[in-house]
Amino acid sequence: MKKSVVLAFSGGLDTSYCAKYLSENLGYDVHAVTVNTGGFSKDEEQELKLKAEKLGVSSYTFIDAVQSYYNECVKYLIFGNVLKNNTYPLSVSAERTVQAQNIAKFAQKIGAAAIAHGSTGAGNDQVRFDLIFQVMCPNIEIITPIRDMSLSREEEILFLKNHGYEMDFEKAQYSINKGLWGTSVGGKETLTSKNNLPEEAFPSQVEKTESSDLEIEFKNGEIIGVNGEEFSHPVLAIQKIEELAKVYGIGRDIHVGDTIVGIKGRVGFEAAAATVIIKAHHLLEKHTLSKYQQTIKSQLADWYGNWLHEALFLDPVMRNIEVFFNDSQKSVNGKVLITLHSYRFVLNGIESENDLMSAEFGSYGEANLAWTGEDVKGFTKVLSNSLSIYHQINKSS
C-alpha cells in the first residue's frame, strides 16, 4: 500500500505542483484538503474540487471552518480590539492558524504518514503551518517541496506541463488572499518601502460616494444586529458589514511589520468590516468598561495579537487571556452609530444601558453632582503628596 499524505490545497501554482510531485515523484496517495475561512464562494469550491481531481489526487475534502474560525479566534480579536502595529487586523495570521489546525486534525483522522504544504522559505506561513503540525501531530512527517527544493515559478510550470497538467499559468499582477477578517494584497509596490498600492490593486472598488448611516448592535461584545436586522451568528453580521462598507473603499492600508523569520515586510490589505467593527467595539468599551479594565485589556490584547502573529496560538496563555476577554465583555452592550463616507467612516456615538457616562453623576466641565469643590481640594492634596515629597527632596535635579 502507498503511504498517504494530506496536502493543504489552495489550488494555486505551488500547491498544484505539490499535488503532482507528491504522487508522481514520491509515490504518495495525496489527500488534498482546503479549509475555508471565509475566502471561497460555492462556485470557487467546485472549481477547487475539479482542479484537485484533474491533478489526480486520491481524495479531495473541502472543510467549511468559517464559524469555528470566528468562535475560536476572530471573536477574541474583536474583544481585544486587536490591530497589529496599530494597523493590521491580523487577517492572514489568524486564518493560517485555524487552517493548520483543521489540516492536522484531518491527517490524524485518516492516519496519514505525512502532511504537506506549499509554503516557500521566505515568509511567515511556513512557520505557522510547521509549528501547528509539530505540536498537534509530532509523529507525522512534514513535507514542503517548494521550500526544500527552492523551486522557481518557471520550474514548477515546466514540471506540471510535462506531466500533462494545464492551468492558467499567467501570474496575476497582485496576489490576493481573501478571508472573513480581511483580504491581503501583495504586489511589486509592497516589496518597496515607499510605493503605495494603486486603486486597481484592491479587489473591492469604490462604488458608492454618497454617505450612509450604519448601526451596529453588540451584546456581551458580540455583534447581534446591523441596521436593525438581527443575525443568527456574528459571521453573518460581519459579512453584512463588509458588504455595506467595502463599496466605499474603507479599510485599506499597508501593514509594515517584523516577520517571524526576522526580516521586515510590507503587505497591503483591505478589511472594511474588521476595521469598522474594531473601532466601533472599542468606542462602546470606552463607555462601558472601567478605566483599569481598559488599561489591562489593551496590554493583554497586544500580547494576544503578537503571539497569534508569531504562530503561538496553541500556547495555554492564549486561553488564559481569552478567559479575561470573555469576562470583560459582560457590560459591552449597546448600539454604535456610524456614518460611512468614501475611504473613511465617522463614529458618531453610542446608545447603551451600561453607559458609564451618566448625567446622574455629573457633566464633564459643566457640573459635578457627586462631589464638592472642597472634596477636590482634599483629594488633590493627598494625590500630590508623594510627588511633592519627591521634588522637595530632589530640588537640585
Side-chain angles (χ1 to χ4, degrees), residues 6-263:
V6 173
L7 170 65
F9 185 74
S10 68
L13 176 61
D14 292 335
T15 57
S16 296
Y17 174 91
C18 289
K20 270 294 180 190
Y21 177 80
L22 291 166
S23 60
E24 298 286 340
N25 290 51
L26 301 187
Y28 280 97
D29 276 330
V30 179
H31 300 274
V33 179
T34 301
V35 181
N36 181 28
T37 48
F40 298 110
S41 65
K42 284 293 180 184
D43 288 343
E44 289 167 332
E45 176 185 344
Q46 188 60 29
E47 287 175 13
L48 284 167
K49 184 175 185 293
L50 293 174
K51 278 185 177 181
E53 290 173 349
K54 190 177 175 184
L55 286 160
V57 301
S58 300
S59 73
Y60 175 73
T61 303
F62 184 89
I63 299 173
D64 187 347
V66 181
Q67 289 199 3
S68 61
Y69 173 39
Y70 170 85
N71 295 336
E72 296 167 15
C73 192
V74 170
K75 177 172 71 173
Y76 298 108
L77 296 179
I78 297 173
F79 287 179
N81 309 309
V82 176
L83 290 172
K84 177 73 172 170
N85 289 359
N86 296 313
T87 305
Y88 179 49
L90 290 176
S91 313
V92 176
S93 317
E95 282 184 25
R96 294 294 180 261
T97 295
V98 172
Q99 289 165 351
Q101 288 180 82
N102 277 276
I103 296 289
K105 289 174 185 175
F106 187 87
Q108 290 173 319
K109 180 181 176 181
I110 70 167
I115 304 179
H117 61 87
S119 299
T120 69
N124 290 321
D125 286 347
Q126 57 178 325
V127 180
R128 293 177 181 135
F129 280 118
D130 281 7
L131 192 145
I132 294 288
F133 296 158
Q134 287 170 12
V135 172
M136 290 186 65
C137 33
N139 298 320
I140 297 180
E141 182 185 2
I142 301 170
I143 304 174
T144 54
I146 311 300
R147 176 176 63 184
D148 293 346
M149 295 187 286
S150 300
L151 293 170
S152 68
R153 181 178 178 82
E154 291 69 27
E155 289 172 314
E156 293 178 54
I157 292 171
L158 180 61
F159 176 85
L160 286 170
K161 284 182 174 179
N162 288 341
H163 285 79
Y165 181 73
E166 289 292 335
M167 62 181 285
D168 182 4
F169 292 115
E170 189 69 30
K171 185 177 182 181
Q173 190 173 358
Y174 296 97
S175 61
I176 305 294
N177 184 92
K178 183 181 179 183
L180 174 70
W181 205 230
T183 300
S184 67
V185 183
K188 63 181 184 298
E189 294 86 358
T190 57
L191 298 176
T192 73
S193 294
K194 68 175 184 177
N195 295 318
N196 198 11
L197 288 165
E199 185 81 14
E200 62 270 17
F202 296 95
S204 297
Q205 294 293 292
V206 177
E207 300 173 14
K208 193 171 181 179
T209 55
E210 185 179 343
S211 64
S212 63
D213 291 330
L214 172 65
E215 178 188 281
I216 304 176
E217 184 173 4
F218 293 87
K219 183 176 181 180
N220 298 331
E222 295 192 77
I223 305 169
I224 60 169
V226 178
N227 289 343
E229 181 182 356
E230 295 184 358
F231 293 89
S232 60
H233 194 279
V235 161
L236 302 175
I238 291 169
Q239 291 169 337
K240 180 65 176 180
I241 294 167
E242 179 71 20
E243 175 189 321
L244 295 172
K246 72 178 182 180
V247 293
Y248 287 98
I250 287 170
R252 296 176 176 183
D253 209 337
I254 291 184
H255 165 58
V256 183
D258 297 286
T259 65
I260 306 172
V261 292
I263 59 174

Side-chain angles (χ1 to χ4, degrees), residues 319-349:
R319 309 292 82 78
N320 301 148
I321 296 174
E322 288 164 4
V323 171
F324 180 92
F325 282 171
N326 277 321
D327 190 71
S328 73
Q329 299 301 294
K330 292 176 181 177
S331 62
V332 185
N333 306 306
K335 298 175 181 178
V336 183
L337 311 174
I338 305 158
T339 301
L340 305 177
H341 302 274
S342 297
Y343 303 106
R344 66 186 180 91
F345 60 96
V346 177
L347 299 175
N348 298 313

